[in-house]
Amino acid sequence: MAATVQAVLWASAAVSTGAMAQPQAVLPLSAETRETLAWVLASRDHGGKPFMVVDKRAAQVSVFNARGQLLGAAPALLGMAAGDVDVPGNGLKPVSQIRPDERITPAGRFATEPGRGLHGDAIVWFDYAAGLAIHRVRPGAAQEGRMQRLAGAAQLGNAQRVSFGCVVLNPAFFDAVVQPSLGQQPGVIYVLPETRPLKTLLASLTAPAPVMAVAK
């Protein structure tokens, strides 16, 4: 896909009133997102399913349909701590017991499934055991601050690192782009690494599966 590909950037037009956000600008796909897209389409790793690419360094998500056509791209809130490996056992802990340095959005390829959150809201699971999902910014005391972070395209980077590991999106973008695709059927999410080269991740996904010894 050409470097000039653009996608809709969704920003909140009226955070205080909860009004539906409208497309306000264009957001170019990062070089690593384009490289991953080319690899996915060449390898057909997505198995004909819709998929999302999460570029943690750019704090950006890009959503594609089963044919690899871009459905939309937007800023995302990600795990507070830098890192590519989830902390074992985090999914079993109360949220209050997960330390700031353990709040990681792990890198890798994950199968996604539509689901429901604790409050009945639509979400997309990508690591159920770890309690990690793609979901909207949720109502509450922190909502306005999080929406403001998402609205500022120039504030990408550390300003977007506030979640416990989930991929958190503007509600309008989730409803318009994620819910009709990944929210309706199984899919795939590729979370790009931030502490190692992208090629390392892609090579690990194409490595032959280990031979399993047969018990006798």
Side-chain angles (χ1 to χ4, degrees):
M1 184 170 289
T4 56
V5 169
Q6 302 283 305
V8 173
L9 166 61
W10 296 77
S12 176
V15 173
S16 60
T17 63
M20 183 69 76
Q22 298 298 321
Q24 295 187 351
V26 291
L27 184 67
L29 302 186
S30 69
E32 290 200 335
T33 294
R34 297 195 305 271
E35 182 178 349
T36 303
L37 173 61
W39 177 87
V40 169
L41 297 181
S43 65
R44 300 182 181 178
D45 182 81
H46 63 309
K49 300 181 181 71
F51 60 99
M52 173 185 284
V53 177
V54 180
D55 185 337
K56 290 199 290 178
R57 292 172 180 165
Q60 174 185 328
V61 302
S62 305
V63 183
F64 303 89
N65 66 16
R67 296 186 297 278
Q69 296 170 322
L70 182 66
L71 300 177
L77 302 179
L78 303 169
M80 181 180 296
D84 292 319
V85 181
D86 189 35
V87 177
N90 262 4
L92 301 177
K93 297 179 183 177
V95 169
S96 61
Q97 293 183 14
I98 301 176
R99 302 194 313 264
D101 63 299
E102 296 178 331
R103 300 173 187 180
I104 295 169
T105 302
R109 177 198 190 276
F110 303 89
T112 67
E113 288 283 348
R116 292 284 170 180
L118 293 176
H119 303 289
D121 54 317
I123 64 174
V124 177
W125 291 108
F126 68 90
D127 190 339
Y128 186 84
L132 299 178
I134 307 161
H135 63 79
R136 308 172 181 87
V137 171
R138 289 173 173 145
Q143 179 186 34
E144 182 172 352
R146 291 190 170 196
M147 291 294 287
Q148 289 172 346
R149 288 173 186 265
L150 286 172
Q155 301 301 316
L156 298 179
N158 290 337
Q160 309 299 90
R161 308 306 291 266
V162 299
S163 86
F164 283 80
C166 289
V167 177
V168 184
L169 302 172
N170 183 299
F173 182 82
F174 185 96
D175 292 343
V177 178
V178 178
Q179 183 61 20
S181 53
L182 297 170
Q184 300 299 316
Q185 59 188 303
V188 181
I189 181 173
Y190 299 90
V191 183
L192 308 188
E194 59 185 338
T195 61
R196 54 197 172 105
L198 172 60
K199 294 185 184 300
T200 302
L201 171 63
L202 299 183
S204 72
L205 297 179
T206 57
V211 176
M212 301 296 291
V214 178
K216 297 182 179 178

